Amino acid sequence: MTIEANEYLARVNALRAKMAEQNVDLVVGYSNLLEIAIVRYYCGFAPTNENSAIVIPAEGEVVVCSGQASYDDCQLKNKLPNSRIAILPEIGEVSGFVYDTEGQLDFEDLFRQVKAEHAGIRKVGFIGRLIFPAIIMDKLRKVFDGCDVVDMDDIHYEQRIMK
């Protein structure tokens, strides 16, 4: 079964409706090899041997985050309209292999970009409570200093129950 792009957009929009109810301005979802479905649910991308993330602002462009080895796969599998892909070695493979890819960021850089693009962020949600890496959470809290950071797992899983 193929899930169409409009279904992924509907899923993001349903999350955005819940974000509006909760006054959440931005959500960061994280997937690893044990829980690949968080990011895949919103865009169709699940890497084979790396982790992934997704950054969903209340409105505007969504950022799908891939490691270096999965970048080409992400370009093929990401079905979410109005999104872009960011390469983040922090979620890439750990072999130490250096990829010749341009435009790599780390999460602090990405969060700074998102903050500049979406002024007035006061509340940030995250999805992946049991797997969200402390190093990425620290960067999120540093860049969005003074913002409330809230767990959005329950909202995400309630949404995924509906088939």
Side-chain angles (χ1 to χ4, degrees), residues 130-148:
L130 298 177
I131 60 171
F132 206 98
I135 191 167
I136 297 172
M137 181 61 75
D138 290 346
K139 291 178 180 186
L140 185 141
R141 290 182 188 277
K142 177 181 178 183
V143 172
F144 296 102
D145 182 42
C147 292
D148 289 333

mmCIF file of all heavy atoms in Angstrom, residues 130-148:
data_model
loop_
_atom_site.group_PDB
_atom_site.id
_atom_site.type_symbol
_atom_site.label_atom_id
_atom_site.label_comp_id
_atom_site.label_asym_id
_atom_site.label_seq_id
_atom_site.Cartn_x
_atom_site.Cartn_y
_atom_site.Cartn_z
ATOM 1 N N LEU A 130 10.921 8.541 25.251
ATOM 2 C CA LEU A 130 11.810 7.485 25.737
ATOM 3 C C LEU A 130 13.123 7.389 24.964
ATOM 4 O O LEU A 130 14.041 6.708 25.411
ATOM 5 C CB LEU A 130 11.095 6.130 25.698
ATOM 6 C CG LEU A 130 9.858 6.025 26.583
ATOM 7 C CD1 LEU A 130 9.199 4.664 26.404
ATOM 8 C CD2 LEU A 130 10.197 6.281 28.037
ATOM 9 N N ILE A 131 13.214 8.063 23.823
ATOM 10 C CA ILE A 131 14.396 7.916 22.976
ATOM 11 C C ILE A 131 15.066 9.232 22.604
ATOM 12 O O ILE A 131 16.133 9.226 22.008
ATOM 13 C CB ILE A 131 14.044 7.146 21.683
ATOM 14 C CG1 ILE A 131 12.973 7.894 20.888
ATOM 15 C CG2 ILE A 131 13.638 5.714 22.005
ATOM 16 C CD1 ILE A 131 12.701 7.339 19.511
ATOM 17 N N PHE A 132 14.463 10.353 22.931
ATOM 18 C CA PHE A 132 14.973 11.663 22.515
ATOM 19 C C PHE A 132 16.344 11.893 23.159
ATOM 20 O O PHE A 132 16.452 11.898 24.387
ATOM 21 C CB PHE A 132 14.002 12.774 22.930
ATOM 22 C CG PHE A 132 14.070 14.001 22.077
ATOM 23 C CD1 PHE A 132 13.158 14.192 21.056
ATOM 24 C CD2 PHE A 132 15.045 14.961 22.278
ATOM 25 C CE1 PHE A 132 13.193 15.327 20.262
ATOM 26 C CE2 PHE A 132 15.104 16.091 21.494
ATOM 27 C CZ PHE A 132 14.175 16.283 20.472
ATOM 28 N N PRO A 133 17.397 12.080 22.358
ATOM 29 C CA PRO A 133 18.755 12.207 22.916
ATOM 30 C C PRO A 133 18.941 13.483 23.750
ATOM 31 O O PRO A 133 18.500 14.567 23.357
ATOM 32 C CB PRO A 133 19.656 12.253 21.689
ATOM 33 C CG PRO A 133 18.832 11.710 20.571
ATOM 34 C CD PRO A 133 17.415 12.068 20.901
ATOM 35 N N ALA A 134 19.599 13.335 24.871
ATOM 36 C CA ALA A 134 19.858 14.479 25.750
ATOM 37 C C ALA A 134 20.663 15.561 25.032
ATOM 38 O O ALA A 134 20.411 16.747 25.237
ATOM 39 C CB ALA A 134 20.600 14.018 27.009
ATOM 40 N N ILE A 135 21.613 15.167 24.190
ATOM 41 C CA ILE A 135 22.453 16.167 23.518
ATOM 42 C C ILE A 135 21.623 17.052 22.582
ATOM 43 O O ILE A 135 21.849 18.257 22.483
ATOM 44 C CB ILE A 135 23.636 15.503 22.778
ATOM 45 C CG1 ILE A 135 24.635 16.555 22.335
ATOM 46 C CG2 ILE A 135 23.172 14.661 21.607
ATOM 47 C CD1 ILE A 135 25.967 15.986 21.889
ATOM 48 N N ILE A 136 20.626 16.464 21.921
ATOM 49 C CA ILE A 136 19.754 17.257 21.045
ATOM 50 C C ILE A 136 18.789 18.082 21.885
ATOM 51 O O ILE A 136 18.536 19.251 21.592
ATOM 52 C CB ILE A 136 19.022 16.352 20.037
ATOM 53 C CG1 ILE A 136 20.053 15.673 19.118
ATOM 54 C CG2 ILE A 136 18.007 17.143 19.222
ATOM 55 C CD1 ILE A 136 19.477 14.608 18.206
ATOM 56 N N MET A 137 18.272 17.520 22.971
ATOM 57 C CA MET A 137 17.395 18.272 23.874
ATOM 58 C C MET A 137 18.142 19.465 24.468
ATOM 59 O O MET A 137 17.583 20.563 24.582
ATOM 60 C CB MET A 137 16.856 17.375 24.983
ATOM 61 C CG MET A 137 15.920 18.084 25.946
ATOM 62 S SD MET A 137 14.425 18.760 25.184
ATOM 63 C CE MET A 137 13.475 17.268 24.932
ATOM 64 N N ASP A 138 19.402 19.278 24.830
ATOM 65 C CA ASP A 138 20.200 20.387 25.375
ATOM 66 C C ASP A 138 20.320 21.515 24.362
ATOM 67 O O ASP A 138 20.228 22.696 24.711
ATOM 68 C CB ASP A 138 21.587 19.906 25.804
ATOM 69 C CG ASP A 138 21.564 19.018 27.039
ATOM 70 O OD1 ASP A 138 20.522 18.976 27.738
ATOM 71 O OD2 ASP A 138 22.590 18.363 27.305
ATOM 72 N N LYS A 139 20.531 21.173 23.096
ATOM 73 C CA LYS A 139 20.634 22.199 22.042
ATOM 74 C C LYS A 139 19.300 22.885 21.819
ATOM 75 O O LYS A 139 19.252 24.103 21.616
ATOM 76 C CB LYS A 139 21.169 21.575 20.753
ATOM 77 C CG LYS A 139 22.623 21.165 20.879
ATOM 78 C CD LYS A 139 23.147 20.493 19.635
ATOM 79 C CE LYS A 139 24.619 20.111 19.866
ATOM 80 N NZ LYS A 139 25.243 19.593 18.661
ATOM 81 N N LEU A 140 18.216 22.122 21.883
ATOM 82 C CA LEU A 140 16.885 22.699 21.746
ATOM 83 C C LEU A 140 16.636 23.711 22.870
ATOM 84 O O LEU A 140 16.207 24.840 22.630
ATOM 85 C CB LEU A 140 15.839 21.580 21.768
ATOM 86 C CG LEU A 140 14.405 21.995 21.514
ATOM 87 C CD1 LEU A 140 13.712 20.947 20.655
ATOM 88 C CD2 LEU A 140 13.654 22.162 22.806
ATOM 89 N N ARG A 141 16.936 23.312 24.100
ATOM 90 C CA ARG A 141 16.726 24.209 25.247
ATOM 91 C C ARG A 141 17.644 25.435 25.189
ATOM 92 O O ARG A 141 17.249 26.523 25.612
ATOM 93 C CB ARG A 141 16.928 23.446 26.554
ATOM 94 C CG ARG A 141 15.831 22.444 26.838
ATOM 95 C CD ARG A 141 16.042 21.741 28.180
ATOM 96 N NE ARG A 141 15.125 20.657 28.406
ATOM 97 C CZ ARG A 141 13.895 20.788 28.870
ATOM 98 N NH1 ARG A 141 13.414 21.971 29.154
ATOM 99 N NH2 ARG A 141 13.131 19.728 29.054
ATOM 100 N N LYS A 142 18.850 25.258 24.676
ATOM 101 C CA LYS A 142 19.782 26.379 24.564
ATOM 102 C C LYS A 142 19.273 27.416 23.556
ATOM 103 O O LYS A 142 19.230 28.611 23.847
ATOM 104 C CB LYS A 142 21.158 25.875 24.132
ATOM 105 C CG LYS A 142 22.183 26.961 23.923
ATOM 106 C CD LYS A 142 23.516 26.386 23.482
ATOM 107 C CE LYS A 142 24.523 27.491 23.226
ATOM 108 N NZ LYS A 142 25.804 26.935 22.718
ATOM 109 N N VAL A 143 18.878 26.957 22.383
ATOM 110 C CA VAL A 143 18.429 27.879 21.340
ATOM 111 C C VAL A 143 17.085 28.506 21.699
ATOM 112 O O VAL A 143 16.875 29.699 21.490
ATOM 113 C CB VAL A 143 18.357 27.163 19.971
ATOM 114 C CG1 VAL A 143 17.698 28.046 18.922
ATOM 115 C CG2 VAL A 143 19.753 26.749 19.517
ATOM 116 N N PHE A 144 16.185 27.713 22.247
ATOM 117 C CA PHE A 144 14.865 28.218 22.614
ATOM 118 C C PHE A 144 14.808 28.521 24.110
ATOM 119 O O PHE A 144 13.818 28.210 24.793
ATOM 120 C CB PHE A 144 13.780 27.222 22.181
ATOM 121 C CG PHE A 144 13.702 27.051 20.686
ATOM 122 C CD1 PHE A 144 14.248 25.939 20.067
ATOM 123 C CD2 PHE A 144 13.123 28.032 19.893
ATOM 124 C CE1 PHE A 144 14.199 25.786 18.693
ATOM 125 C CE2 PHE A 144 13.063 27.899 18.516
ATOM 126 C CZ PHE A 144 13.612 26.766 17.914
ATOM 127 N N ASP A 145 15.854 29.145 24.598
ATOM 128 C CA ASP A 145 15.980 29.522 26.003
ATOM 129 C C ASP A 145 14.776 30.360 26.420
ATOM 130 O O ASP A 145 14.370 31.285 25.725
ATOM 131 C CB ASP A 145 17.276 30.311 26.199
ATOM 132 C CG ASP A 145 17.510 30.688 27.638
ATOM 133 O OD1 ASP A 145 17.280 29.840 28.515
ATOM 134 O OD2 ASP A 145 17.912 31.846 27.888
ATOM 135 N N GLY A 146 14.194 30.022 27.540
ATOM 136 C CA GLY A 146 13.038 30.758 28.036
ATOM 137 C C GLY A 146 11.712 30.214 27.534
ATOM 138 O O GLY A 146 10.654 30.639 27.996
ATOM 139 N N CYS A 147 11.750 29.288 26.585
ATOM 140 C CA CYS A 147 10.518 28.679 26.077
ATOM 141 C C CYS A 147 10.128 27.493 26.942
ATOM 142 O O CYS A 147 10.990 26.810 27.503
ATOM 143 C CB CYS A 147 10.722 28.185 24.639
ATOM 144 S SG CYS A 147 10.958 29.490 23.436
ATOM 145 N N ASP A 148 8.839 27.250 27.033
ATOM 146 C CA ASP A 148 8.367 26.020 27.657
ATOM 147 C C ASP A 148 8.665 24.876 26.697
ATOM 148 O O ASP A 148 8.444 24.999 25.490
ATOM 149 C CB ASP A 148 6.859 26.069 27.902
ATOM 150 C CG ASP A 148 6.473 27.033 28.999
ATOM 151 O OD1 ASP A 148 7.302 27.280 29.894
ATOM 152 O OD2 ASP A 148 5.333 27.529 28.963
#
